[in-house]
Amino acid sequence: MKASHVLKGIRRERTGSRYARRNRAAGQLPGVLYGHGQDPVAVALEAIQTIRYVESGEKVFTLDLDGNKDQTVILKDVQFDYLGTNIVHIDLARVDLNEVITSPVSIRLVGEPVGMKKAGNILTHPATTLEIRCTVANLPDHIDVNIANLDVGMSIHARDITLPDGLTLADDPDAIVAAIKEIKVVEEVTAEGAAVAAEVAQPEVITAKKEKEGEAGAAAGKDDKKGGKGKE
């Protein structure tokens, strides 16, 4: 049994950022092939085809390197540009289809949650991949998770997912895959309302004290007028 998708490429004789830029300008995607006790090999793959496979979630390939098609490889790492949008480099590892591996697999949420039928609720998706242990031949492109029965305050954890035969969970069983939360609306306070609230919040005793002090000062002024000059 062979991997269904074929990556075509050639060996890179020269490495380094300068030559990698030249590869990309020529429509090639730089990469490194390693594993199974063999020396790492710098490769240049057909960029458009390879990137399309990677972005669709494919992980296992047959590598056609300089016309040699007898290698099965698995995608190990993807590097993006500084904006995080374009793939600029990948790492591939040699594998055997019967080899047991641990690999992240994308999660695909399926269904319309009942909790989202009410306005003001949001669906969160904290974990977008799961670490799965299986043979290379059984490694799926993604795992479907049905969220149709998910309601407000409920969540789906990694341990709740029923995996296909041949797959076992190698991730944190308590990892939250999906949850629905209710957004609490905070009333907006206008400037006028804030002024009114501030006025109401002032303790009456302070105002009363100031009024008494004012009255006492006025009375003292009257006494000074009656008694002449005060003491210096």
Side-chain angles (χ1 to χ4, degrees):
M1 177 181 177
K2 287 280 187 179
S4 58
H5 299 292
V6 178
L7 298 184
K8 296 181 180 181
I10 59 174
R11 291 174 180 263
R12 285 190 291 149
E13 298 299 330
R14 296 179 177 180
T15 59
S17 58
R18 174 184 175 186
Y19 296 104
R21 285 195 296 269
R22 291 182 179 180
N23 287 131
R24 287 189 282 270
Q28 298 171 330
L29 178 65
V32 174
L33 172 65
Y34 60 90
H36 278 195
Q38 300 181 41
D39 292 335
V41 177
V43 298
L45 307 168
E46 291 185 0
I48 294 177
Q49 178 195 54
T50 303
I51 291 173
R52 183 172 66 247
Y53 286 150
V54 172
E55 290 181 339
S56 66
E58 301 290 342
K59 290 183 176 295
V60 182
F61 309 93
T62 295
L63 179 62
D64 180 353
L65 187 61
D66 294 326
N68 182 2
K69 303 180 181 179
D70 63 350
Q71 295 186 94
T72 301
V73 298
I74 185 171
L75 181 67
K76 294 297 290 185
D77 190 37
V78 179
Q79 296 177 22
F80 294 85
D81 60 11
Y82 69 97
L83 294 175
T85 55
N86 299 314
I87 297 175
V88 296
H89 188 279
I90 65 172
D91 287 350
L92 301 170
R94 303 177 185 91
V95 291
D96 184 275
L97 289 174
N98 295 321
E99 182 178 343
V100 178
I101 61 170
T102 299
S103 176
V105 178
S106 298
I107 298 170
R108 186 171 68 179
L109 303 182
V110 179
E112 182 181 354
V114 294
M116 292 300 293
K117 295 179 180 179
K118 180 182 177 182
N121 297 336
I122 60 170
L123 171 66
T124 62
H125 187 17
T128 58
T129 63
L130 282 181
E131 288 285 336
I132 299 298
R133 187 168 178 80
C134 63
T135 62
V136 173
N138 286 334
L139 184 66
D141 298 333
H142 63 270
I143 296 174
D144 288 338
V145 178
N146 191 334
I147 59 172
N149 295 324
L150 198 60
D151 207 343
V152 180
M154 297 173 60
S155 57
I156 297 177
H157 297 81
R159 62 174 178 270
D160 302 322
I161 300 174
T162 301
L163 299 174
D165 293 340
L167 276 63
T168 57
L169 182 66
D171 213 324
D172 178 7
D174 294 325
I176 298 177
V177 173
I180 293 184
K181 298 181 180 179
E182 182 180 8
I183 300 178
K184 295 182 179 180
V185 179
V186 178
E187 294 184 1
E188 183 180 355
V189 179
T190 62
E192 182 180 355
V196 173
E199 183 179 349
V200 172
Q202 292 180 353
E204 295 183 359
V205 293
I206 296 177
T207 304
K209 182 178 180 180
K210 288 183 178 180
E211 289 177 353
K212 289 180 179 179
E213 289 177 351
E215 292 173 358
K222 291 179 181 180
D223 292 339
D224 289 342
K225 289 180 181 180
K226 290 180 180 180
K229 295 182 180 181
K231 295 181 180 180
E232 293 183 356

